[in-house]
Amino acid sequence: ERAKEFWTTRVGFDVVQALGPRAPEGAAIGTADRIIDPGGDLNEHFADADAVISTAGYNSILELAITTTPALLMAIARSYDDQAERAVTWGPLLGLTYRDDERPAAAAWLVRMLEHRLRRPAIDIGPSGAALAARKILELRR
């Protein structure tokens, strides 16, 4: 009930949906205030957000981990991916794992994050492998 009140009476936040070029036709949600194509800057949008609702894709998880932004993880069921396992593993670290049978609890959690602008500690996922990968690629040219 508290979540319903929050969504219908509170102002001061925007719902921004990030859709990349591979998003399927009709993926836009009608209640979003804005739809953006974040390109390669999704991590910056994650860091600037008060809260994020995200799928549990590998890249999204890692980009969320290095921010302090609380995240509600919603796994997409696919036969070729392990999003459900990833959401369960990372949900407690990044915020919460969404479960259909716990929808009121997820809504209440999201309201608490937005009302109080709560943050969480960033997670050290180790050094970037970008420089090493670039060196290895350049070595292939020789």
Side-chain angles (χ1 to χ4, degrees):
E1 188 62 36
R2 183 142 156 51
K4 185 176 179 183
E5 173 199 337
F6 179 83
W7 302 124
T8 57
T9 63
R10 297 292 175 123
V11 294
F13 69 91
D14 290 334
V15 175
V16 179
Q17 184 180 14
L19 290 178
R22 297 185 304 170
E25 183 86 19
I29 56 175
T31 55
D33 295 304
R34 289 184 294 134
I35 297 174
I36 62 168
D37 178 350
D41 298 325
L42 186 58
N43 58 332
E44 292 176 21
H45 291 282
F46 282 165
D48 290 341
D50 292 318
V52 170
I53 300 172
S54 178
T55 60
Y58 184 77
N59 290 328
S60 296
I61 293 292
L62 294 179
E63 289 176 354
L64 282 164
I66 62 172
T67 74
T68 61
T69 306
L72 177 60
L73 300 179
M74 303 182 82
I76 295 175
R78 299 181 186 169
S79 60
Y80 60 88
D81 198 355
D82 58 350
Q83 284 202 21
E85 289 177 38
R86 200 175 300 118
V88 168
T89 300
W90 283 90
L93 299 170
L94 301 181
L96 187 70
T97 302
Y98 177 84
R99 292 178 177 83
D100 282 335
D101 60 336
E102 297 176 359
R103 182 178 287 178
W109 176 87
L110 192 54
V111 166
R112 191 171 67 253
M113 296 302 113
L114 292 171
E115 263 189 332
H116 302 289
R117 310 278 181 179
L118 297 176
R119 303 306 269 190
R120 59 168 179 75
I123 298 171
D124 181 1
I125 59 173
S128 169
L132 176 61
R135 282 195 302 277
K136 295 293 184 184
I137 290 169
L138 290 173
E139 288 174 8
L140 294 173
R141 292 184 6 182
R142 296 181 189 160

